Amino acid sequence: MKKLVLALTGTALLVAAAVTYTVSARHGTADAEPAAQLTLAPGQLLFRDTATGRVGAAPLGQDGKKLGGLKCDRFAVAKQTAVCLAVRPGTLPAVTDVLVLDDHLGVRHTETLPGTPSRARVSPDGKRVYWTLFVTGDSYSQTGFSTRAGLYDLGTGRLVKTIEELPVFLGDDRYFASDVNYWGITFAPDGRRFYATLGSKGKTYLVEADYARYRGKAIRENVECPSLSPDGKRVAFKKKVGEGAWRLSVLDLATMRETALAETRSVDDQALWQDDHTVLYGLENAVWAVPADGSGAPRKLLADASSPAVTG
């Protein structure tokens, strides 16, 4: 069953941003720059160049970025796997190619799905890619937008176009509602435990789920776009603090203690852990870093960049 998306203002802003990214990807003046041969060699910050949409790379903590020839609207890597979400130009309603890439950014597999790119991630073991797309046309959708969060398993070839049928428990009871949406999937290093945002009836929940058993439970309210730390013990997320405004925070999964990070601007992104101590995110056409314990201050890593990804 198709579901109604929540967070009306945030949804509209994200869709507008995705369309803007797509336009810039087709018409950027920096396209004249020759394409570099990129790989997933360790110690790199990979990113999406916001002027051209091309995937680029820079040594972590150093200057010297270079751009490849691949164009994406969202991009992510882990181990020797990458994923590129690229909306097809001129398609209405929008259609997105999900490109599964190898360690030289060659295409291993392609899925074509309806919708506009919103989020993309690769599991820590490199065995699954997952995404969130915005779609249009749901008959009961008052906003005109819905989300579809899906995944592709490289080992088995299993495609889950949407996790909307995931059984979820709220307290002791199975949760049923016609407006359920999911977005922002993130997997644990074991490849089994995963988290996602569930939105329904004006609220959002952090869902903890078991991929093998394919069932989950809501464990926390007001959690969006979770990102699991490398040690699997904490979740970085955006917490709604006002209409169209989110505060980047970290949740300790053992104690349920929340820590607001030093970034006080509204961050509408699925954060990425550089390591167990540092969180990366895209904001104002740049990639930023901030300590995960709430200390310090935001630090700009790279201008004209989004979709940060770190090679291990």
Side-chain angles (χ1 to χ4, degrees), residues 71-311:
K71 289 187 176 183
C72 305
D73 295 293
R74 294 291 186 272
F75 181 77
V77 306
K79 293 292 185 182
Q80 300 301 298
T81 301
V83 62
C84 167
L85 305 187
V87 70
R88 289 189 176 182
T91 56
L92 289 175
V95 173
T96 290
D97 288 326
V98 178
L99 307 178
V100 183
L101 310 171
D102 62 21
D103 60 345
H104 284 72
L105 301 188
V107 178
R108 300 173 59 181
H109 181 81
T110 302
E111 295 288 347
T112 301
L113 301 169
T116 302
S118 173
R119 309 294 184 208
R121 281 291 184 269
V122 181
S123 62
D125 59 10
K127 295 180 179 179
R128 297 179 185 91
V129 301
Y130 28 95
W131 56 84
T132 304
L133 303 176
F134 284 116
V135 296
T136 59
D138 286 1
S139 60
Y140 51 81
S141 174
Q142 297 176 1
T143 66
F145 301 111
S146 296
T147 56
R148 300 279 168 75
L151 62 90
Y152 175 76
D153 191 310
L154 279 70
T156 65
R158 181 189 184 195
L159 171 66
V160 180
K161 292 184 178 180
T162 173
I163 63 169
E164 289 176 355
E165 302 307 320
L166 178 74
V168 170
F169 288 80
L170 186 58
D172 295 328
D173 300 320
R174 171 88 180 269
Y175 186 77
F176 293 98
S178 62
D179 68 343
V180 166
N181 257 282
Y182 289 97
W183 62 91
I185 301 172
T186 181
F187 264 81
D190 63 12
R192 177 166 177 163
R193 178 170 50 108
F194 73 94
Y195 297 84
T197 300
L198 181 154
S200 180
K201 298 181 180 179
K203 295 183 178 181
T204 59
Y205 301 91
L206 176 65
V207 169
E208 181 181 69
D210 185 304
Y211 181 69
R213 299 176 63 203
Y214 210 66
R215 60 184 296 169
K217 60 181 179 180
I219 62 173
R220 187 77 167 186
E221 270 194 50
N222 198 9
V223 173
E224 295 186 57
C225 297
S227 178
L228 192 62
S229 60
D231 63 13
K233 297 179 179 180
R234 292 160 294 159
V235 164
F237 67 101
K238 61 175 198 176
K239 179 177 182 176
K240 190 171 184 180
V241 293
E243 194 59 43
W246 294 270
R247 182 69 183 268
L248 198 60
S249 302
V250 167
L251 176 68
D252 185 301
L253 294 170
T255 65
M256 288 292 140
R257 178 176 177 269
E258 287 184 13
T259 300
L261 302 189
E263 176 58 83
T264 57
R265 294 170 294 179
S266 178
V267 175
D268 188 6
D269 193 18
Q270 185 173 15
L272 175 84
W273 293 78
Q274 176 179 326
D275 50 41
D276 280 322
H277 311 289
T278 308
V279 173
L280 308 184
Y281 52 99
L283 181 65
E284 298 176 353
N285 282 335
V287 171
W288 298 78
V290 70
D293 62 1
S295 66
R299 178 169 54 95
K300 185 185 287 188
L301 294 185
L302 202 62
D304 303 317
S306 64
S307 288
V310 175
T311 56

Side-chain angles (χ1 to χ4, degrees), residues 6-15 134 238 243-244 246 268:
L6 300 176
L8 311 187
T9 302
T11 299
L13 288 173
L14 280 171
V15 171
F134 284 116
K238 61 175 198 176
E243 194 59 43
W246 294 270
D268 188 6

